[in-house]
Every structure is written in structure tokens, then in C-alpha cells.
Amino acid sequence: MQVENKNNSIVEMLEKEKSNKGYYMMIAVAILGLLIWSMSVIEVKPLSKDGMVIAKNIFKGIFHPDTSFLFNFTKQGVPFLLLETIAIAVLGTLFGAILALPLAFLSATNIVPKPVAFIMNFINMAIRTVPPFVYGLMFIRVTGPGASAGVLTLAVASIGMIAKMFTETIENLDQGIIESMEASGASLFQKIRFGIIPQLKPDFLSLLLYRFDMNLRDATILGLVGAGGIGAPLIFAMNAYRWNQVGSILIGLFLLIFVVEAASSRIRRFLIQGK
């Protein structure tokens, strides 16, 4: 009997797959059309002789890094610049999370009335619309070049994504606990403090670790506009064609990202699975 039911379910799945064939074909045609259209507006230029020489020098510098720069433990060396980049990413993530937390609760339709949630979601969308690079250029005008501009940039740029993901997590809560607290006359603050936060803590910490990974990479890019970190020395070395220093910086970045990625993956797995 079980084998017969299993066979029937397989037959039903195959029939459903056949009925969706036209739907999948339309999606494939649409994707192919977008691909052809995208290629038509991109002008592909062949590599020039100078470009090949520059590419050769880049790879030569990467595989022959400046070890004196890589192991220079002063403020001009790679280790200190990487440490500054980590500090910018950590502070930017923490400040962004602090600012995003109330916005996330006010954007959740199961916590506040829908008109309030709509307004807050609109504000959150407006924050996410501006690229981090633009925030960096704005804050450099306010604070001047340096790590402070990088921290403020990452904090504001983090608000949009963290608030959005926090809101989705909040809206997927077990409503039974919230309804029980409402029936007992709990206030909004009490529902958040005792009914919601204990459920959300693992997911929240996991999302913060994920955002920290992103901010660590963004902190490198923001250095290109003078917002602190290792990005500025990287662009200076590239402009001066010091490819061996570029290689030293890229090796340091690779090791940093590798260590942080491995550590954050283990921590996220522990938070979600408990092992």
C-alpha cells in the first residue's frame, strides 16, 4: 500500500512538472532575452599591449610581495592597517545594529499598526537606496578623512540591511507567545523585552556576524575615498605602480577575510544549531 501511494505521488509530481513546462520555457526565454539585451549595451574592447604589460606586472607583484611592508608593525605597515580596518568594521556594525533595532521593531506588522510599519519600512528603504560609497563621500566632508568617517559610513549603511532582516525575523515569530502576553495585558515594551527578544537573540547575533563580514569588505573599499582602513594605501600603491606593495596588501586582506570567515561561520553554527 505504501509503495503504491509512493508511486502515485511520483506520477503526480511528473504530471505537474509537465504542466509547468510552458512556464519554465517562458522564464528561460525571458532570461535569454535579458542576457542578449545586456550584452548589446556593453562594449567589449580588446586588451591593448600596455594593458597586457600592466596585467603582467600586477600578477608579478602579487606573487612577489614586499615583505618589509607586509611585516612592518608600525602604523604604516599592513598589520596595523588591517587592525584599523577591523576596528572600523566592528564599530560600524555595532552602531548600525543599535540604530537599526528600534527601526526593525517599528517596521514589523505584528508589533505595531500597519500604517506605522509602512512609514518605517519606507524610511528603511530610503536608507538602503544610498550606496555606502556615497555615504562615505558625505561623511568625509563632515568629519574629514580618517577612521571616523568610515565608522559613521558603515553604521548608516548597515541600518537598512540589518533593520530589514531583523524585521523579517520578527514577523516570523511564534505568535502564540505574543498573543498570550497581549491577553495578560502586557505593554509593548514588555512584549518586546520578555516575549520577543529571547526568541530572536540567536538569529540577531547570526545576522550581525553576517553584516560584520560585509562591513569588513566595505571598510576596505571605503578606504579608497579616504575613510580610513587599508583601502587608501591600496589605491596609492596602485596609482604609483608599486605592485609588490599591492601584493602585500592583498595577501593581508586574504588572510584576514579567511580567518574572519572561518570564525564567524563557526559562531553562527553554534548560535543556530548549538554545536
Side-chain angles (χ1 to χ4, degrees), residues 1-2 6 10 26 29 39 44 52-53 66 78 86 92 98 100 109 114 117 143 149-150 191 193 204 242 249 258:
M1 188 67 178
Q2 292 180 352
K6 187 175 181 180
I10 293 174
M26 290 175 58
V29 171
M39 293 178 65
V44 181
M52 293 296 294
V53 172
D66 184 356
V78 172
I86 295 173
I98 292 171
T109 54
K114 288 186 178 181
T143 65
K191 286 192 293 183
R193 172 65 181 85
F204 275 9
R242 295 195 295 266
I249 294 173
F258 177 78

Side-chain angles (χ1 to χ4, degrees), residues 103-113 117 120-121 166-167 170-171:
L103 180 60
F105 281 110
L106 294 174
S107 301
T109 54
N110 58 339
I111 302 297
V112 298
M120 292 301 168
N121 276 307
F166 278 7
T167 301
I170 293 168
E171 289 180 340

